[in-house]
Amino acid sequence: MTWSEMQPLLSQASWDTLYMVGWSTLIAIVGGLPLGVLLVLTDRGGLLQNVVANKVIGQVVNIARSLPFIILMVALMSFTRLITGTTIGRDAAIVPLAIGAIPFFARLVETAVREVDHGLVEAVQAMGGNTWTIVRKVLVPEALPSLISSATTTVVALIGYSAMAGTVGAGGLGDIAIRYGYQRFETGLMWVTVAVLAVVIALIQFAGDAGARALHRRGGRGGPAPRLRLLKAKEPDTATATDAAGIRRTA
Amino acid sequence: MITTSGLTKIYRSGGREVTAIDGVDLHVREGEVFGVIGQSGAGKSSLIRCVNLLERPTSGTVTVDGQDLTALAGRGPRASKALRQARSRIGMVFQHFNLLSSRTVQENVELPLEILGRSGRERSAKALELLDLVGLADKAKAYPAQLSGGQKQRVGIARALAGDPKVLLSDEATSALDPETTRSILQLLRDLNRQLGLTVLLITHEMDVVKTVCDSAALMERGRVVESGTVGELLATPGSQLAAALFPVGGDPSGPAGTVLDITFHGESTGRPVISQLARNYNVDVSILGAAVDTVGGAQIGRMRIELPGRYEDNVVPVGFLREQGLQVELVDPDEEAVDPDEEAVVNAKAVVNAKEVTK
């Protein structure tokens, strides 16, 4: 296969991947952020302490996280059809991607928000602030650098998930790598795909780190979250789109 | 201004009960700086957090500026609206400053005003005014991470004052600072207390803090207030641990034959040449074993340990002279270093008089 043959395939696939990952990230943030904050607030000693609610949310999140994505995708097919009217194509892939990423991001949000110094919460309580004020003015802004790191991790994980979504006809880079690289023995195209993925992930990671660091610099407390550094060290794994299980573990 | 009665806080964890505060009655007068001192674990931190109900007392009441806060608390763990409004009228500063790192200094000071729903222009005008008051007008756009500890605490104080509180609670505000910065922060608190008529309740484990700024003090031990009063009253109380700690005098007697006396000077008597008069009038040899003059709570106070030759019975007349001069005299028993009971009664009577003089 020559470059001129690969090029249109690759650009369409890249676009499909970005489209799926972009929308599902957005939905994951919108859904996961409140869920993660709720996990902290309802916990024992939290501002909205509610052990039952906490256990229920925690269990739902755990179950959703423990399902391998490819199974979640299949399990959600009827739900996907209900929402998008189809189970094939990139729009249909957004549904399981987003649902898979919400609990993933929620757990990261929980960790990030839990790290906010309780003294700050107390200070705002002493000023007469209510719980909503504390969430809006303390927990989220103070956790923002960590939240950006968490979002970056989520995007990288979603790129991995999206490769699996390729197997049900969603398109994207993972789909190309499997159909051409694996099934048609187009090893050249597969390596190009891997390279494109590596570059995309490196760029996303770089942007996320830079954002988190910029916010941290003014905050001045500690460096970027250790989680991110760990991920960086394992980046070669992440880049191999076909090694889907590997991505899940790293992410 | 702040009154607690029968305040008790019991923490329960895993079936075990820990009594952090045990029936504390405290009365802080309007416009005074009141210090609660005690070692770690004495319950002073729980006490101050009970005053604005960050910590819900197990029993007892807290009244701030005529308002019974314990009645406002409402049920459940969440603060009622009325309690939140009451809290916004009580400023609080913290040991670790608790500034939001995501906001600039000015935005930090504006935070209480945002909660009060003030307009943007009003907020920034007030914030700049307060930053000017605490001497940080040039740091408005800086982030807390760029400030030193003392500067951070100044921001904390400016923030605490944003809601125009009548009461300021200070939770170990200087404990994370070096001695020099501590002095400047205490000076600031004192100035604010004078300029704004602010009532300050501070807790600390440093005796120096009490000595520098407090009008009144209470000593806490294992959840109870064991001594409390104006600094003058405390110094005039024989055997007061706080007085002894605030104002230690030492010195061992030269021999077993002498009479050792601790003399406390307050107010006017500080300036008079009492000792030389004593020596001249009664022709006794006075040895000074130890002495100190200091300013406590804005009043000059001196303490001196002297030795007169002969037993106490032989020195009744000179001791009477010292008492006539308005001094507080305590006999130091060379063996027990304690006051004998008769003596105590006399000194107590005197103490009340002295206390009145000082508080004037």
Side-chain angles (χ1 to χ4, degrees), chain B residues 179-256:
Chain B
E180 199 167 323
T181 317
T182 296
R183 263 196 295 283
S184 81
I185 292 291
L186 292 176
Q187 187 61 46
L188 176 65
L189 284 178
R190 188 82 211 170
D191 291 347
L192 293 171
N193 160 257
R194 297 237 169 93
Q195 282 173 26
L196 311 173
L198 198 65
T199 308
V200 182
L201 172 61
L202 62 85
I203 63 162
T204 181
H205 61 264
E206 294 166 309
M207 203 47 88
D208 256 359
V209 171
V210 175
K211 203 162 160 177
T212 319
V213 292
C214 293
D215 301 306
S216 301
L219 175 67
M220 269 190 100
E221 264 173 19
R222 274 165 287 153
R224 293 169 182 272
V225 168
V226 291
E227 280 178 33
S228 156
T230 64
V231 170
E233 281 166 4
L234 291 169
L235 284 173
T237 309
S240 159
Q241 290 180 54
L242 261 179
L246 275 174
F247 224 47
V249 278
D252 293 323
S254 54

Side-chain angles (χ1 to χ4, degrees), chain A residues 119 122 125-126 137 142 218-219, chain B residues 49 87 98 101-102 114 145:
Chain A
E122 210 159 66
Q125 278 180 316
K137 310 238 177 210
E142 287 294 307
R218 68 175 200 198
Chain B
R49 290 149 50 83
R87 276 179 184 163
N98 293 351
S101 61
S102 55
E114 286 174 29

Side-chain angles (χ1 to χ4, degrees), chain A residues 14 16 26 33 37 57-58 66 78 90 94 111 126 149 165 169 177 185 206 209 231 240:
Chain A
S14 303
D16 285 346
L26 201 69
L33 187 61
V37 172
I57 301 173
S66 59
S78 50
R90 49 181 207 182
I94 290 171
T111 317
S149 303
F185 304 102
F206 176 78
D209 284 358
L231 194 79
T240 322

Side-chain angles (χ1 to χ4, degrees), chain B residues 4 26 29 39 41 67 78 100 113 121 150 195 286 354:
Chain B
T4 72
L26 212 63
R29 277 179 286 260
Q39 292 176 328
Q67 200 174 22
R78 273 195 283 166
L100 299 185
L113 299 166
R121 190 170 301 173
Q195 282 173 26
V286 182
N354 280 334

Side-chain angles (χ1 to χ4, degrees), chain B residues 49-87:
Chain B
R49 290 149 50 83
C50 275
V51 170
N52 62 0
L53 264 74
L54 280 180
E55 207 78 77
R56 202 68 68 90
T58 312
S59 66
T61 58
V62 177
T63 311
V64 178
D65 197 15
Q67 200 174 22
D68 182 358
L69 297 188
T70 30
L72 295 179
R75 286 159 196 271
R78 273 195 283 166
S80 67
K81 193 167 185 208
L83 175 59
R84 280 188 274 114
Q85 275 170 355
R87 276 179 184 163

